Amino acid sequence: MPPLKQLPAWTELESHYQSIKDTHMRDLFEQDPGRFKHFSLKLGKLLFDYSKNRINNDTISLLLKLAKQSHVEEWRDKMFAGEAINHTEGRAVQHVALRNNTNEPVYVSGRDVSSEIETEILRVKEMAEKIRTRAWRGATNQPITDVVNIGIGGSHLGPQMVTEALTPYAIHDLDIHFVSNIDENHINNTLEHLNPDTTLFIISSKSFTTQDTMVNAETARSWLEHKFGSDKYLHRHLVAVTSNPKAATEFGVNANNILKMWDWVGGRYSLWSAIGLSIVIAIGSEYFDDLLEGAHAADEHFTMTPLDENIPVIMALLGIWYNNFFNSETIAILPYDQNMHRFPAYLQQADMESNGKSVDRSGEFVDYSTGPILFGEIGIASQHAFYQLLHQGTKLVPADMLAPVSNYQCIAQHHRALMSNVFAQSEAMMLGKTADEAMAEMLDAGMSEKQAKALLPYKVFPGNRPTNTFLFDTLSPRMLGTIIALYEHKIFVQGIIWNINSFDQWGVELGKVLATNILEEINEGCVSKAHDCSTEGLMNYYFKLRSQVG
Ligand code: F6P
């Protein structure tokens, strides 16, 4: 395949960009009253409105051409066929197999793994049900009331995000806690309120070597041993999820309590696997199945729908349009549902660890921008924090807004006000406010012409700020599964077009190695290795201050 910027569609998009870059969406909407219909898609009860983007029919045709010329469909089929598309680690990428409920075989490098998946998911469900039904007893024969998931990155963010998002579906007499930070405050603050007799730890780590997780796991183990006087009862309070069972056994986890994950499931794509144990404990097997089914519905949509009606493909192409032609560097994720408060953080890892790469599949540095900086927060909170920049700042920040039209309890007064904000914000970002409108408004409010003129520049909103809106019935397990999988596939498509490997993460290695070396020096109490003068200065100051604070 020719380099990305030499693809015919890329060149055409460059000149198309010149012709559309100054067009205001106000005009596009005026010219085409059917714009909403043309630029919106549905999947089940999910509506994806992408009409408030700086696009016309030509933009979409050219972007679709780009997808074709980048062989998105061929790569998608390779992923679903279990080919080793993660070429730097020689691995297949088969998280989609975990939610395949078709009874069709699923392959990893030519081997059918469907029965393996079934067996392991059954073990997860059995374990979760034992805990939920109080059949699982701790060392003092008491039922488990608190489950602590110890993990980080993909072994933390996905389970935590889903568990929080599905709070209304969770069992009430069990609390799930998440500890990820190596900073002792995290585990101490959590354990402070817990009773070892009724606490179960899940050590979630694909590698079972991640420093943060292992240090927290050791603290948890000591906490249990301190209470029970020996490691004899650990098996009642410790479970591990890992692809490194040997390390988990050496750590002291009973073989029966080790749930398996596979190297063909990437950490940030692993919530569908045994890494989702905390989710199954919280919401139960049936709702977990719904979550998987929702994701599978998105997989089917992705694999079977033509590109021009394919939601993740369109999401990806719009992202590329802004990232590579408008040079916008960020994307804001704005859920209008309090229970989705961890969704932006979860997506941050999914997207930025996947597509934060600058070397292509042939080992060459890319000469174009790849993954965007993703940030976000609950929509309502953000309106009172950073929306000012979105509306009137100098940067173009495309945003995704997500909202359920009804929530679990749905107190009308709250929900109507919430929804009025969703509609108002995307409308305001698109329309903006012209100088004439701002002037008229101020004069109507009784301001003198002089005062109004002085304030006018501050009162104008440029508008033309792109948003996608996802509206869905309610944040059910099924809908959440669909939404997550759509984003996974969006990330995949972008990775293919940027010609990068979205499934490795070598960039996180260097810091880990250096931290291991520096830890040795910290343990020795002095700087003993060569460092730059800043790092050396910081370490020396640390040693000095440390000796003063004790
Ligand atoms: O920090 C990088 C990373 O490897 C992530 O990709 C991963 O999700 C996380 O660390 C945790 O890894 P593990 O599950 O092996 O502890």
Side-chain angles (χ1 to χ4, degrees):
M1 195 177 83
L4 178 59
K5 286 170 85 173
Q6 286 171 30
L7 290 177
W10 188 274
T11 321
E12 285 182 80
L13 276 162
E14 277 175 332
S15 57
H16 173 68
Y17 167 72
Q18 293 305 328
S19 72
I20 200 175
K21 69 180 169 43
D22 298 321
T23 306
H24 201 289
M25 277 191 272
R26 269 179 186 241
D27 300 325
L28 294 173
F29 271 93
E30 258 170 41
Q31 287 155 18
D32 179 7
R35 190 172 164 87
F36 169 71
K37 213 169 152 212
H38 295 154
F39 294 129
S40 58
L41 291 165
K42 268 198 185 153
L43 173 55
K45 295 220 167 98
L46 175 107
L47 171 79
F48 169 54
D49 171 26
Y50 63 101
S51 59
K52 292 194 184 87
N53 277 292
R54 293 168 72 167
I55 53 167
N56 60 20
N57 287 330
D58 292 342
T59 324
I60 289 295
S61 307
L62 289 172
L63 287 168
L64 289 166
K65 238 187 189 181
L66 181 69
K68 284 268 179 206
Q69 289 173 10
S70 307
H71 304 290
V72 164
E73 288 152 302
E74 290 85 335
W75 279 98
R76 174 196 65 193
D77 296 346
K78 282 186 198 188
M79 173 170 78
F80 277 82
E83 286 186 33
I85 61 168
N86 173 357
H87 70 292
T88 57
E89 296 180 309
R91 290 176 184 168
V93 174
Q94 265 293 33
H95 50 277
V96 290
L98 300 167
R99 55 227 191 186
N100 181 334
N101 57 7
T102 60
N103 292 329
E104 297 287 321
V106 277
Y107 295 99
V108 167
S109 307
R111 192 170 55 86
D112 181 8
V113 291
S114 47
S115 65
E116 241 180 273
I117 296 174
E118 206 179 314
T119 310
E120 210 52 29
I121 291 295
L122 204 64
R123 289 188 66 216
V124 171
K125 288 178 176 173
E126 278 170 7
M127 194 179 276
E129 290 309 325
K130 262 192 202 160
I131 297 161
R132 286 168 63 84
T133 56
R134 303 178 150 237
W136 185 296
R137 297 282 160 154
T140 51
N141 206 30
Q142 296 184 56
I144 299 301
T145 57
D146 293 273
V147 173
V148 183
N149 184 83
I150 297 180
I152 199 160
S155 302
H156 160 76
L157 289 164
Q160 188 197 34
M161 179 275 286
V162 172
T163 308
E164 293 280 320
L166 299 180
T167 304
Y169 299 84
I171 191 165
H172 293 305
D173 51 2
L174 246 177
D175 284 325
I176 316 280
H177 312 263
F178 291 89
V179 170
S180 59
N181 198 335
I182 201 165
D183 174 0
E184 64 272 25
N185 284 323
H186 204 177
I187 191 151
N188 283 348
N189 294 349
T190 308
L191 297 186
E192 200 176 27
H193 306 287
L194 302 184
N195 174 0
D197 293 319
T198 55
T199 300
L200 177 81
F201 293 94
I202 307 171
I203 309 169
S204 294
S205 176
K206 183 175 169 183
S207 58
F208 224 80
T209 56
T210 306
Q211 187 194 38
D212 322 71
T213 301
M214 295 329 298
V215 170
N216 279 322
E218 277 160 23
T219 301
R221 190 181 54 191
S222 311
W223 186 72
L224 292 171
E225 285 171 353
H226 184 255
K227 165 73 203 230
F228 302 124
S230 77
D231 60 6
K232 198 169 130 205
Y233 297 107
L234 282 184
H235 65 284
R236 306 238 187 144
H237 297 270
L238 270 191
V239 168
V241 184
T242 185
S243 57
N244 184 0
K246 187 168 170 278
T249 314
E250 281 164 13
F251 181 84
V253 184
N254 187 297
N256 292 330
N257 290 359
I258 300 175
L259 296 167
K260 180 170 158 187
M261 65 182 295
W262 303 270
D263 68 359
W264 38 267
V265 177
R268 52 195 174 274
Y269 299 91
S270 65
L271 70 89
W272 322 102
S273 71
I275 286 288
L277 174 63
S278 52
I279 303 173
V280 193
I281 296 172
I283 65 171
S285 303
E286 284 177 24
Y287 284 138
F288 188 70
D289 283 341
D290 288 352
L291 183 83
L292 298 180
E293 264 177 36
H296 183 65
D299 296 342
E300 284 199 318
H301 169 84
F302 181 46
T303 47
M304 288 164 33
T305 313
L307 296 190
D308 60 343
E309 291 169 20
N310 200 309
I311 296 175
V313 172
I314 301 288
M315 287 163 75
L317 293 173
L318 290 168
I320 287 183
W321 180 229
Y322 295 116
N323 188 69
N324 295 95
F325 296 91
F326 284 82
N327 294 327
S328 58
E329 303 232 302
T330 53
I331 170 161
I333 302 293
L334 309 168
Y336 278 78
D337 182 314
Q338 185 57 34
N339 291 338
M340 290 180 86
H341 72 112
R342 294 299 288 159
F343 190 67
Y346 160 77
L347 261 195
Q348 228 165 22
Q349 187 204 11
D351 199 319
M352 293 169 79
E353 199 167 77
S354 296
N355 286 341
K357 315 279 164 69
S358 49
V359 174
D360 71 14
R361 288 188 155 268
S362 329
E364 302 292 331
F365 276 103
V366 297
D367 57 356
Y368 43 83
S369 171
T370 61
I373 301 161
L374 192 142
F375 73 104
E377 232 315 343
I378 290 298
I380 291 288
S382 322
Q383 286 175 209
H384 300 275
F386 58 75
Y387 271 39
Q388 166 63 38
L389 185 148
L390 305 192
H391 284 294
Q392 286 188 313
T394 53
K395 297 179 172 58
L396 183 72
V397 183
D400 283 0
M401 297 183 171
L402 302 104
V405 304
S406 156
N407 68 29
Y408 196 68
Q409 292 178 317
C410 214
I411 304 170
Q413 188 198 358
H414 282 253
H415 204 75
R416 285 183 195 159
L418 174 82
M419 292 309 295
S420 67
N421 280 278
V422 177
F423 301 132
Q425 288 297 336
S426 72
E427 189 170 41
M429 286 196 206
M430 186 275 281
L431 283 178
K433 193 190 283 176
T434 64
D436 286 350
E437 286 166 350
M439 193 69 187
E441 210 176 82
M442 285 188 283
L443 295 178
D444 278 356
M447 226 179 248
S448 73
E449 203 167 325
K450 193 174 167 213
Q451 282 173 321
K453 273 194 175 150
L455 267 187
L456 187 60
Y458 306 102
K459 293 280 195 171
V460 169
F461 285 60
N464 221 9
R465 313 273 160 141
T467 54
N468 293 318
T469 304
F470 298 79
L471 273 190
F472 43 95
D473 53 350
T474 191
L475 192 64
S476 60
R478 188 184 162 90
M479 184 53 72
L480 182 65
T482 297
I483 293 171
I484 299 169
L486 289 177
Y487 273 98
E488 284 179 351
H489 296 321
K490 170 203 167 174
I491 294 164
F492 171 82
V493 171
Q494 292 190 329
I496 295 306
I497 293 177
W498 288 322
N499 193 25
I500 52 179
N501 180 2
S502 303
F503 300 103
D504 59 13
Q505 55 283 319
W506 301 105
V508 296
E509 292 304 318
L510 177 62
K512 285 187 191 173
V513 173
L514 293 186
T516 310
N517 291 339
I518 291 177
L519 180 59
E520 281 171 21
E521 294 173 271
I522 290 182
N523 289 337
E524 285 163 12
C526 63
V527 179
S528 59
K529 295 176 183 149
H531 297 282
D532 62 87
C533 64
S534 160
T535 309
E536 191 174 321
L538 288 167
M539 288 172 69
N540 279 328
Y541 188 69
Y542 160 80
F543 287 126
K544 189 168 154 210
L545 216 57
R546 183 79 206 174
S547 67
Q548 287 166 15
V549 296

